[in-house]
Amino acid sequence: MLKFIGKQFRQPSGILGRIISTIMEKANSSIYNEVINILNLKDKDKILEIGYGSGQGINKIVKRNKNVKLHGLDFSKLMYEKATRKNSRHIQNNQIELFYGDVTECNTNILYDKILAINVVYFWKHLEDIFNKLYQFLSESGELILFVVPASELNKFKYTNNEAFIKYDIDEIIENLRIVGYQHIKTKKHKTKFEEDFFIIAHKGKSQSV
Ligand SMILES: C[S@@+](CC[C@H](N)C(=O)[O-])C[C@H]1O[C@@H](n2cnc3c(N)ncnc32)[C@H](O)[C@@H]1O
């Protein structure tokens, strides 16, 4: 059963997926509140969120700044439908565009100012390949913002003890970012009652806004 629950975090589906996504939405709300400050939103920013889940982050960003353009990509059909419902008004006025697909298979000509992936790296086997792909998607001054629960913390929970989760140390993630060429890589702690997690902010070029 725990293995089945673990898989639902990777790609929510069905009734259990609905329940897990509601739990995630509540549990991760404070992460998104903090990410909005880290994003340092500017008018006309083009932002991409990979693994948007329920779409709460995208919704919060649009509410904070009405002049940004947001794209989202998630490979759960259930999450695509939920996030689409949550953001329907902003989708209609073309401020938000949501896609259903796998980041490992997607491509785009658009250059984004900010790309975020919150609680998604655990499901990526080949970090270097994906970081390299996202590097190509960033504008010259663009930045990648990750939120990660490190291996030491994930090991405390039973539901993460299955093949759905790949547990990474923060140093391993940073090393992969460096290999690809990201610069000015910074971390920011995010403490909750249960664990100590990290934002990782990595820049494509030399500019630093965080
Ligand atoms: C643990 S949930 C996190 C959801 C949300 N970011 C949050 O923190 O509440 C992971 C999300 O990433 C999506 N995801 C995982 N791997 C993906 C991939 N390779 N391409 C696109 N989406 C992916 C899943 O479908 C799921 O919605």
Side-chain angles (χ1 to χ4, degrees), residues 9-10 12 24 28 32 51 53 74-76 79 101-103 118-119:
F9 284 90
R10 178 178 177 269
M24 273 197 286
N28 298 340
Y32 279 108
D74 199 297
F75 76 170
S76 156
M79 293 300 91
D102 189 331
V103 67
I118 309 297
N119 285 312

Side-chain angles (χ1 to χ4, degrees), residues 6 8-12 20-21 23-29 31-32 49-57 73-77 79-80 99-105 116-124 130 147 165:
Q8 288 295 326
F9 284 90
R10 178 178 177 269
Q11 191 174 28
I20 299 275
S21 78
I23 295 170
M24 273 197 286
E25 186 169 15
K26 287 211 170 75
N28 298 340
S29 173
I31 300 170
Y32 279 108
E49 181 173 15
I50 314 277
Y52 47 71
S54 70
Q56 69 162 323
L73 177 71
D74 199 297
F75 76 170
S76 156
K77 190 83 192 296
M79 293 300 91
Y80 171 72
F99 300 92
Y100 163 54
D102 189 331
V103 67
T104 61
E105 290 163 12
L116 55 147
I118 309 297
N119 285 312
V120 192
V121 287
Y122 334 111
F123 312 112
W124 292 343
I130 297 191
F147 176 86
F165 279 83

Side-chain angles (χ1 to χ4, degrees), residues 95-166:
Q95 199 181 359
I96 293 176
E97 207 170 338
L98 296 182
F99 300 92
Y100 163 54
D102 189 331
V103 67
T104 61
E105 290 163 12
C106 78
N107 231 324
T108 180
N109 294 326
I110 301 168
L111 291 178
Y112 293 96
D113 301 296
K114 280 130 193 178
I115 298 180
L116 55 147
I118 309 297
N119 285 312
V120 192
V121 287
Y122 334 111
F123 312 112
W124 292 343
K125 256 192 212 130
H126 306 290
L127 286 188
E128 195 183 320
D129 292 350
I130 297 191
F131 289 163
N132 190 33
K133 175 175 264 198
L134 301 182
Y135 192 88
Q136 313 305 324
F137 292 177
L138 282 170
S139 67
E140 273 312 302
S141 60
E143 57 196 57
L144 174 67
I145 296 112
L146 305 171
F147 176 86
V148 185
V149 182
S152 55
E153 300 291 319
L154 282 179
N155 280 333
K156 294 177 184 169
F157 307 107
K158 283 196 178 135
Y159 72 90
T160 63
N161 260 329
N162 55 74
E163 69 270 22
F165 279 83
I166 306 168

